[in-house]
Amino acid sequence: WFGSTLGLAVFVVLVLVNRFAEARGLTALTSPLYRAQSSAGFLFMSWLLHWLPFFAMTRQLFLHHYLPALYFAVLLTVVQLNQAMYWLSGRFPRLQRFQGVVCTLLVLATIGLFLAYAPLGYGLRMTRGYCRRLKLLPRWDFDCDGLIESLADIKA
């Protein structure tokens, strides 16, 4: 969620900078970084069209309301990351080996976060303390009080 939100913000900033540069007649800022602009723009519009209807709702929303929009935000972030790495490797050839390290770290972080939050998302057994540690922000609203205190309390 956080990574894709950052990707959306970066996309909007880069589009605004690109439009400003084009209006001023500057071509240096309209670099090869935006050769995939059409696919990134399509993914941004897809995210927006999946997110906007739920933004206008006044009733309580749940996680599954945002999942279709999240799919497009993640794809947009990956397209931007791919274009940034392509652009950087063209300018700094030594960084080409670094791309694999960055991608490996991102995949490992994704797997680690999935495993950490899988009990919450799939309703698996977890302790009250583990549930409380999953709340990164104080306004996250999920109930941990009804959970067991320790895994030893599970009856066979």
Side-chain angles (χ1 to χ4, degrees), residues 13-111:
V13 167
L14 288 177
V15 166
L16 291 175
V17 167
N18 193 30
R19 297 291 178 224
F20 181 77
E22 285 177 355
R24 299 281 187 232
L26 303 172
T27 57
L29 294 175
T30 59
S31 65
L33 188 60
Y34 272 91
R35 289 201 178 134
Q37 182 69 18
S38 61
S39 63
F42 170 77
L43 292 170
F44 179 78
M45 290 305 295
S46 299
W47 168 81
L48 192 64
L49 291 174
H50 281 84
W51 181 77
L52 267 180
F54 297 112
F55 180 74
M57 285 187 173
T58 57
R59 66 183 179 92
Q60 183 178 10
L61 296 175
F62 296 97
L63 186 63
H64 67 270
H65 290 108
Y66 299 106
L67 289 179
L70 176 66
Y71 177 75
F72 290 107
V74 169
L75 289 176
L76 173 65
T77 303
V78 171
V79 165
Q80 289 187 134
L81 182 63
N82 182 42
Q83 283 304 110
M85 289 203 182
Y86 176 76
W87 181 74
L88 283 172
S89 67
R91 293 181 67 127
F92 308 102
R94 289 187 203 170
L95 289 179
Q96 196 163 9
R97 288 177 274 161
F98 187 63
Q99 292 176 12
V101 173
V102 169
C103 290
T104 301
L105 289 175
L106 285 173
V107 167
L108 289 175
T110 301
I111 291 170

